[in-house]
Amino acid sequence: MRSTMHNHDDSGASPAVKSADRVLTILEYLADHRGATFAAIVRDLGLPNSSAHQLLRTVRQRGFVEFDELTREFKLGFRLWEVAQSYSSVQHLADVAQPFMDELTAITKETVQLSRLDGLENVYLAISESPHPMKLVSSVGHRLPAHTTGLGKVLLSELPDAVIDERLDGVVLERFTDNTIVDVAQLRAELRRIRERGYGEDREEYVIGCRCVAMPIHDPGGATIAAMSVSVPTPRFNQQVARLIREALPETIRQLEVKLGAKA
């Protein structure tokens, strides 16, 4: 359970940021308490009465919070549930993709991963592990800097140039190995190459001893929704393995996209 006691000494924040933070704090509080009176919210969160009243009125009008006249308690509203359902699509994608990933692992004998982009990180949604003793070890929910992985670079390459520029503006790219791309201009050039050839690679850029090939996954409308990769320990990675992956991976993704509703 989250702690709902927050320090609201945020006098340095702008009014908009302060209000946004307080709204999210209220929603978290109501999620933990399954409902609370106005007095309890103000007391436990240390909010001014006037601010709490205005914020609760706004979120009630938008349907994110409801007021029970019988118990005089505020509770999470139906609109919040509707918004949260958008994330059910993530689980749906992982569930649909898993059998295809398992089949790809059976073909390549290597670890297959599914990932989505969150800012400048790629988040792992599903994994099918290699049967080999020596293999990539990862976990669902794990995050890695996108500039260090094949999956992350593929997902970044699928963004419009303006969005890429905005996300990279003022960013210092962390180095993990000698092969990590830490120059923003070099990363942009790499993203252009990935767009041209249709796949990205991790050449021991996050950890020495691991290589991977990754490709994007599109929804029926053509939007990029995720990426899939095959990761191989460097000692097993050779031209034959790379060729097998570049043949099997796009076919797996094609079958997955058809399952998701794309035209065969």
Side-chain angles (χ1 to χ4, degrees):
M1 177 178 291
R2 292 179 297 272
S3 171
T4 53
M5 299 300 292
H6 293 260
N7 179 2
H8 285 279
D9 183 16
D10 48 9
S11 56
S14 69
V17 171
K18 186 186 299 184
S19 295
D21 179 71
R22 286 173 172 174
V23 165
L24 295 175
T25 299
I26 289 172
L27 295 177
E28 289 180 342
Y29 177 86
L30 293 178
D32 284 338
H33 289 75
R34 305 294 180 88
T37 63
F38 180 82
I41 294 171
V42 169
R43 181 192 67 239
D44 291 348
L45 299 182
L47 297 174
N49 280 12
S50 58
S51 296
H53 179 75
Q54 293 173 0
L55 294 174
L56 285 167
R57 181 175 61 185
T58 299
V59 291
R60 279 186 67 191
Q61 290 173 343
R62 297 291 299 273
F64 288 89
V65 167
E66 298 173 351
F67 183 68
D68 189 325
E69 295 285 354
L70 184 62
T71 63
R72 309 298 295 176
E73 289 185 334
F74 291 92
K75 300 178 180 180
L76 295 181
F78 185 70
R79 177 59 183 148
L80 190 62
W81 179 86
E82 289 182 310
V83 172
Q85 293 312 295
S86 65
Y87 262 94
S88 67
S89 64
V90 174
Q91 186 59 53
H92 173 70
L93 173 62
D95 291 342
V96 173
Q98 191 68 60
F100 294 97
M101 296 169 62
D102 293 343
E103 179 64 23
L104 183 56
T105 293
I107 294 171
T108 63
K109 301 298 187 293
E110 302 296 349
T111 296
V112 177
Q113 299 186 101
L114 181 75
S115 183
R116 286 188 68 174
L117 189 66
D118 183 17
L120 288 175
E121 295 179 318
N122 55 284
V123 184
Y124 294 97
L125 308 180
I127 298 171
S128 180
E129 290 192 352
S130 166
H132 291 294
M134 183 173 65
K135 60 189 174 184
L136 172 73
V137 177
S138 186
S139 60
V140 172
H142 190 57
R143 292 170 174 263
L144 288 181
H147 72 283
T148 69
T149 68
L151 283 165
K153 289 185 293 182
V154 162
L155 291 166
L156 284 174
S157 75
E158 294 285 298
L159 297 174
D161 287 334
V163 176
I164 295 174
D165 291 341
E166 180 181 352
R167 295 195 187 187
L168 293 177
D169 184 35
V171 170
V172 177
L173 300 175
E174 185 177 356
R175 179 180 296 281
F176 292 85
T177 75
D178 289 341
N179 297 333
T180 307
I181 300 175
V182 295
D183 180 78
V184 171
Q186 185 181 350
L187 178 60
R188 286 193 179 100
E190 173 69 4
L191 298 182
R192 287 193 294 270
R193 286 192 290 269
I194 291 172
R195 283 180 185 169
E196 293 170 358
R197 69 188 182 215
Y199 66 92
E201 292 183 289
D202 172 357
R203 307 176 187 89
E204 298 185 302
E205 294 163 56
Y206 178 70
V207 61
I208 295 298
C210 184
R211 301 280 301 269
C212 91
V213 178
M215 294 181 179
I217 300 169
H218 302 97
D219 67 14
T224 302
I225 54 173
M228 188 181 294
S229 70
V230 180
S231 298
V232 187
T234 302
R236 286 204 298 269
F237 194 85
N238 53 43
Q239 290 185 351
Q240 181 179 358
V241 170
R243 184 166 55 250
L244 172 62
I245 293 172
R246 286 197 291 267
E247 292 173 356
L249 179 57
E251 176 59 21
T252 297
I253 290 175
R254 185 194 68 79
Q255 293 177 13
L256 172 59
E257 290 175 341
V258 169
K259 185 71 173 181
L260 293 171
K263 292 182 179 180

